[in-house]
Each structure stands twice: as C-alpha cells, then as structure tokens.
Amino acid sequence: MPTTVLSNIGTLVTNDPTLGDGPLGLRRRAAIAFTDGRVSWVGDSATAPAADIGIDLGGRAVLPGFVESHAHLVFAGDRAEEFAARMAGRPYGAGGIRTTIAATRAASDDELDANLRRLLAESVRAGSTTVECKSGYGQSVAEELRSVRIAGRHTDEVTLLAAHVPPPEYARRADDYVAMVCADMIPRCAPHARWIDVFCEQGAFDRDQAHAVLSAGIAHGLVPRVHGNQLHQGPGVQLAVELGAASVDHVVHVTGADIDALAGGDTVATLLPGADFCTRNAYPDARKLLDAGVTVALGADCNPGTSYTTSLPFCIALAVRELRMTPDEAVWSATAGGAKALRRTDIGVLTPGARADAIALDAPSHLHLAYRPGVPLISRVWRGGVLVVGK
C-alpha cells in the first residue's frame, strides 16, 4: 500500500500521552503517516516524511476512529410507535424487545444482512471505524445461530446475546430458557462469536440465571459482557466484576459498592446515553465513576427500541451535557475507552503500530464534537489507512 501523510492538522488526538499533551496526547500543527494499514509516524507537520499520497488538512482536527463497543444491528422492523408512546408518558420496560424478536424471526437472511449493512454504513459516516455487533433478537438456537453468522460477515467483534429476554414460547419459564441456552444455544453459536452477553435486569434475567449463561459461555471460550443496572439497582455490575467481564453496559443505577468494585477491577463501565435519552430514563453519573478511577467507555447502543442512533458524536455531546463529562473525557471514552471495552490495543489510538483508523473533522479541534452538537463534522474517515468517507 502507498504511504499516506496527513499534514497541517490543527489538533491531533493520539490518545498516547507520550506523544503529546494530557491523556489525549494532543499535538498541534501535527502530521501523521499511514503505511500498510498502520500508523507509521507521528510528529510535527514541518518535519513530515515524504509520501505517495499527501493530504493537507488545512488546520482540521484528526482523531482515532470511534470504537463502537455496544450495538444491536441484526434485527428487522422498527418501534417508532413505542418511542412515540414513551414520549407521551408511557414508561420503558424490557418487554418491547419481544416485538423485535417477532419481526426478526419473520425476516429473510438477505433482509437482515441488508439492514445490518445500512446501519454499518451509517456508523462509518459518523466516524465509527470498529463496530461490535450483538445477536439477541432471535432467541432460539436456529435464529441466534443465523444472527451471529450474519454479524460475522461484517465484524470480528460478534457478541452472542443469548439471553436478552425470554422469548414468547418461554413466557414465565425463564429457568427453562436458560437451561436451553446453556445446553444447546451456546455450544452451537460459540464458534461464530467472540463474546457472551446477558441482560441482567428486572423483567429479563436474575443474577443466578445470568451467572449460568455467562459461565456456559466462558466454558465455550467466549468472553463475558453484561447489560446491567439500566433500570434498577441490581446485581449486574457485581456479577460482571466477579466473572471478569470485559464490560458492563448501561450502569445507570449503581451503589457505592458497585463503583468500588468497578474501580478495583478491570471491567469497563460502558455508558449509553442515547438509550437514556430515548427512554427518558435517568442518566448515569459518569462524574462519580470517573472520579473513583473507573474506566469508562461510550457507546451509541444502536437498536430499534431504545436508541435508534449510530452517532457517537451525538453521544459525546450528550455525555458532556448530561453525564457531566469533560469533552476530553467523552472523546477518550468513545475511542480508547471503547477499545478497552473490546480488549483491543490496536484501535482507539493513533500511535506507531496501531491500525490506521482515523477521522478528520470540519473543525480545528475535537472540542467541537460537543460544542457543535448535531452538526455533521465528520469530513473524512480512514479504515486501515484507506479513505472510506470523503475526498
């Protein structure tokens, strides 16, 4: 591959403190080189190396590509009427997922794949260069197997959300459903996934049921993740830390003991403010988590019921306004934080040897992502050193 050099960068976010100022490793009047899909050089624009392709960015900011570590993209249908009802005052509960289960089961493979590709294209245009993708809208062995196979065509970060909610045929028989998941679904689906996830929440699965699912996944080589503490205080956070989960996601209703457990472990707290915006749920207190030393990631949580957005810039703006994060913290959480939630060191950073996944903004600084909410600032996107959005 030819060497590409981006020069005359207004502000470069590297997320490597050894390369620049602060946790974001900020450099100004910077340049960066991509060779063979990797970052090969970072430095001052005046000393940039020779390039096969040279791009003068005219003072624009460059950041690592966003790392979307929480997305539900294998589904059919939408739940716009449910959203409208919530905006009119109906509270959110977990049961609406069953509407999407029915629509997904009725869709063809081609329909599910086309919808997934549409949403991934949206994500890339919004700056996400890595996207995790969950199953969870099939909730039978055949349907979950179909979902993880479809997801695996488009991403290496495939999550088997084997226990989202009990499907209709297992109404009031959650224990029986969990037994089937552990004995049949996980062994069949595990070869096509990297992660195992469960919704540990009232109306979904309790601690013992969630523990059984995650333990079965671990036994088949999958790494645990948890949907936890979204709607109520509960055992999700503690269970995630106990089992060494890569992340626990939502983390809205937490106790001091939950925060201490996260701060003392390696589990990332992935915050999903788009879901709280769309459900009128309380927002998580990111300030308490960060001040306690918890590693925080930001995700968009794209799904048809509670956060139908693929825009991490929107979630960065929400995090700054509603979660009391600083713009630097929000940007770090949507890049390096997402990478940590996926246990990746090759993405979410722009340091020599990392994947050449980067975005350029029509703005001089990353601060504009929160400063100018709703404005389409992503002007160019590179994945593996290849320009995939912009000219």
Side-chain angles (χ1 to χ4, degrees), residues 29-336:
R29 297 176 293 281
I32 188 168
F34 303 151
T35 306
D36 294 331
R38 299 279 170 175
V39 177
S40 54
W41 178 88
V42 175
D44 294 335
S45 193
T47 60
D52 300 298
I53 300 171
I55 301 174
D56 185 327
L57 286 176
R60 291 176 175 83
V62 170
L63 294 75
F66 299 128
V67 180
E68 175 54 90
S69 63
H70 187 119
H72 305 252
L73 303 183
V74 185
F75 67 86
D78 71 32
R79 283 151 58 189
E81 292 183 1
E82 176 188 319
F83 171 79
R86 279 201 305 275
M87 297 304 100
R90 190 176 78 190
Y92 169 67
I97 294 167
R98 295 181 181 89
T99 301
T100 303
I101 291 174
T104 303
R105 288 177 173 182
S108 69
D109 288 9
D110 287 346
E111 289 169 331
L112 294 177
D113 190 85
N115 193 49
L116 173 54
R117 284 187 283 108
R118 175 183 68 86
L119 294 169
L120 284 174
E122 274 188 14
S123 297
V124 172
R125 290 195 300 271
S128 293
T129 51
T130 300
V131 179
E132 178 261 10
C133 185
K134 303 179 190 297
S135 69
Y137 293 123
Q139 301 293 268
S140 71
V141 174
E143 290 292 335
E144 289 298 292
L145 181 59
R146 178 169 77 134
S147 293
V148 293
R149 282 175 166 166
I150 290 171
R153 298 172 187 170
H154 305 283
T155 180
D156 294 331
E157 302 296 346
V158 177
T159 299
L160 174 62
L161 181 51
H164 205 174
V165 296
E169 61 269 27
Y170 282 91
R172 294 179 294 281
R173 293 193 298 128
D175 284 339
D176 292 342
Y177 179 71
V178 167
M180 183 277 290
V181 165
C182 295
D184 300 327
M185 184 185 291
I186 290 174
R188 289 283 304 280
C189 297
H192 306 280
R194 182 183 178 201
W195 309 96
I196 182 73
D197 201 344
V198 63
F199 190 12
C200 185
E201 181 61 75
Q202 294 180 30
F205 298 94
D206 64 24
R207 186 192 188 284
D208 290 343
Q209 293 161 346
H211 188 284
V213 169
L214 296 174
S215 297
I218 293 168
H220 284 82
L222 302 178
V223 182
R225 321 180 70 79
V226 177
H227 283 59
N229 300 65
Q230 178 184 7
L231 306 177
H232 310 89
Q233 288 184 5
V237 167
Q238 297 285 343
L239 178 62
V241 174
E242 175 188 331
L243 293 181
S247 70
V248 55
D249 300 13
H250 289 293
V251 199
V252 177
H253 300 278
V254 292
T255 65
D258 292 333
I259 295 173
D260 290 343
L262 287 167
D266 296 324
T267 299
V268 174
T270 301
L271 309 184
L272 308 169
D276 307 310
F277 176 88
C278 291
T279 59
R280 286 188 170 156
N281 194 13
Y283 287 101
D285 191 341
R287 191 75 268 137
K288 281 187 178 180
L289 294 168
L290 290 162
D291 289 349
V294 176
T295 301
V296 169
L298 276 179
D301 188 16
C302 181
N303 74 84
T306 60
S307 186
Y308 204 0
T309 180
T310 52
S311 174
L312 271 168
F314 168 66
C315 294
I316 287 170
L318 280 181
V320 172
R321 174 64 180 84
E322 302 291 350
L323 275 59
R324 300 196 299 142
M325 299 176 78
T326 68
D328 282 13
E329 288 168 341
V331 166
W332 188 95
S333 296
T335 52

Side-chain angles (χ1 to χ4, degrees), residues 12-19 22-26 63-65 328 331-337 347-351:
L12 174 64
V13 175
T14 68
N15 284 337
D16 183 346
T18 69
L19 292 178
L24 295 187
L26 296 175
L63 294 75
D328 282 13
V331 166
W332 188 95
S333 296
T335 52
I347 56 176
V349 294
L350 290 174
T351 189

